[in-house]
Amino acid sequence: MSTIPSEPGHDRSEPGLSVLLGERRQLTNLAYRLLGSLAEAEDAVQETYTRWYGMSRQEQEAIESPGAWLTTVAGRICLNMLGSARHRRERYVGTWIPEPLPDRTEWIGGRAGGGRSEPADPADRITLDESVNMAFLVVLESMTPAERVAFILHDVFQYPFAEIAGIVGRTPAACRQLASSARRRVRAAQAPPVPKAGQAGLVRHFKEAWEARDIKALVALLDPDATMIADGGGLVGTVLRPVEGSMPIAQYLIHIADKVPNLTLLERTVNGTPGLIAQRAGVTMTVAAFSLSDDRVTRIWAVRNPEKLRAWTEHEPR
C-alpha cells in the first residue's frame, strides 16, 4: 500500500504556522480514509487544530514533534467519530456509501485551489491512489473502528505499531493483530486487477450501452452475480436495497434512462478510478463508482445523496 507524504520543506522542530499548515494535507488524507466522508474529515482536522491552538504557547513549545502530535490527536478524534458514526449509519435511510471524490484535473480551471500551495477545498488535499478507491473504502466500512485506524495508520501511512498503540489505547502487539485482521479482510475482498486502460474502456462501453438502452449489451458487460448499491440518504429517490444480478441491474438502468430521458452521462475519475457521473441540466445528480473483474462489472456504487456530491457540484466539468 502506498504512503501519503507530508508536505515537504518544513522544520518540524519549531511549531510554527508553516509547519502546522504543512500538516493539513496529511491530516485530511488520513481523516478521509478513516471516516469515508470528506465533510467529517474536515471536521476532524478542524477539531485537531482547535485543540492545538487551545494550548498555551509554552505547552506547544514543549511538544517535540508538532506533526506527530497532530496526527495522534487526529487519529483519536477519528476513532471516536467512527464509533458514533456506526450508530448514525444504522439509522441511515438505505445503504451508506463513502463519499466519492473527483479528480480536479478533469474540471474547468484545473485544481480548485487556484494554484495556491494549500488548496482551500479539502477535496483537493486528498491524494487519489488505491487506498481511496471505492471498493477499498467499502471494505474499510466492515471493520471495527480500532481495526480501521490500526490498518490505515500502519499499512497506508507507515506508522509503527508503538505509535499506533498510543492512539487506539492498546498494546503494540494488539495493534499488530488488529492490522493483520483488517489486512485479511482487504485481501479476501480484492478482485483480480484490471489494467487502467481496460477499466476505462469497460466503463465507456457500459456508458454507451446505457445511453443506447441496449439491455443485451448491459447484461453482457455485467457479471452474472453483479450487485448495484445506491445511496440517496433519504433525501432523493433511489432503490433502498441492493439490486443483484446482471438482468435486474440492466432492467433498472433502462428504467432510469426512460424515466429521466434528458440525463447526460459523462466519464469521470471517481476516487482515482474510471467512473461515470449523471447530470441533469448541467447539475451532477449521481456519481457511480465501479469494481471490475475479468472484463465485467462486478459492483456499482451509485451515490445520489446531494450532501455527498458537494465536491462535484461546486465546479462545472469540461
Side-chain angles (χ1 to χ4, degrees):
M1 193 65 64
S2 62
T3 59
I4 313 298
S6 300
E7 293 294 292
H10 297 304
D11 182 0
R12 288 177 176 265
S13 65
E14 297 180 7
L17 182 61
S18 62
V19 176
L20 298 174
L21 293 180
E23 294 294 335
R24 182 175 284 273
R25 182 184 296 274
Q26 173 89 341
L27 296 175
T28 305
N29 271 282
L30 172 64
Y32 173 74
R33 286 162 175 78
L34 289 178
L35 300 171
S37 165
L38 195 58
E40 290 180 2
E42 186 66 0
D43 287 345
V45 173
Q46 287 299 109
E47 174 62 22
T48 300
Y49 280 102
T50 296
R51 294 188 186 184
W52 172 267
Y53 287 112
M55 294 189 298
S56 68
R57 179 66 176 176
Q58 184 177 10
E59 289 173 320
Q60 293 174 355
E61 291 176 343
I63 294 173
E64 182 178 351
S65 173
W69 185 93
L70 290 169
T71 299
T72 297
V73 171
R76 289 173 179 166
I77 291 171
C78 288
L79 185 63
N80 291 334
M81 291 176 70
L82 281 170
S84 61
R86 281 200 154 196
H87 296 295
R88 291 197 309 273
R89 291 168 191 174
E90 287 173 358
R91 301 189 299 271
Y92 194 79
V93 178
T95 303
W96 191 94
I97 298 176
E99 185 175 345
L101 290 177
D103 184 339
R104 293 298 198 199
T105 62
E106 297 177 346
W107 296 64
I108 290 176
R111 298 183 66 81
R116 291 172 294 197
S117 59
E118 187 60 32
D121 191 333
D124 279 352
R125 300 191 185 105
I126 307 297
T127 302
L128 299 177
D129 62 15
E130 67 271 22
S131 69
V132 294
N133 73 59
M134 192 61 72
F136 183 81
L137 293 178
V138 168
V139 175
L140 294 180
E141 286 298 312
S142 69
M143 300 177 185
T144 67
E147 279 180 330
R148 189 165 181 166
V149 171
F151 174 70
I152 290 296
L153 280 170
H154 181 267
D155 283 45
V156 178
F157 290 87
Q158 306 299 303
Y159 274 78
F161 288 117
E163 292 184 22
I164 297 171
I167 295 174
V168 300
R170 305 195 188 188
T171 65
C175 291
R176 186 183 299 275
Q177 291 271 348
L178 288 169
S180 178
S181 173
R183 203 175 298 121
R184 285 195 297 271
R185 291 177 187 256
V186 171
R187 288 173 179 165
Q190 280 181 336
V194 177
K196 264 292 177 65
Q199 293 179 33
L202 183 52
V203 171
R204 181 173 300 114
H205 293 322
F206 191 89
K207 167 183 175 289
E208 293 168 351
W210 191 2
E211 290 174 328
R213 294 171 173 75
D214 188 339
I215 193 166
K216 289 184 178 180
L218 284 172
V219 169
L221 291 167
L222 287 158
D223 185 89
D225 297 321
T227 301
M228 188 187 77
I229 300 173
D231 178 351
L235 301 177
V236 295
T238 190
V239 61
L240 295 179
R241 295 183 178 181
V243 181
E244 300 179 340
S246 55
M247 180 58 75
I249 293 173
Q251 291 173 333
Y252 180 79
L253 292 172
I254 297 299
H255 169 72
I256 294 298
D258 289 338
K259 189 176 180 180
V260 190
N262 57 345
L263 205 62
T264 300
L265 299 178
L266 299 171
E267 297 172 51
R268 290 290 180 269
T269 298
V270 180
N271 285 60
T273 60
L276 295 175
I277 67 171
Q279 290 191 331
R280 189 175 188 182
V283 178
T284 299
M285 310 296 291
T286 304
V287 174
F290 296 83
S291 179
L292 313 173
S293 178
D294 297 328
D295 297 326
R296 297 284 185 91
V297 174
T298 57
R299 294 286 185 276
I300 303 173
W301 295 280
V303 180
R304 300 205 65 235
N305 184 340
E307 293 183 349
K308 296 183 179 182
L309 300 181
R310 290 170 181 166
W312 298 83
T313 57
E314 293 168 354
H315 303 272
E316 292 297 320
R318 290 190 181 96

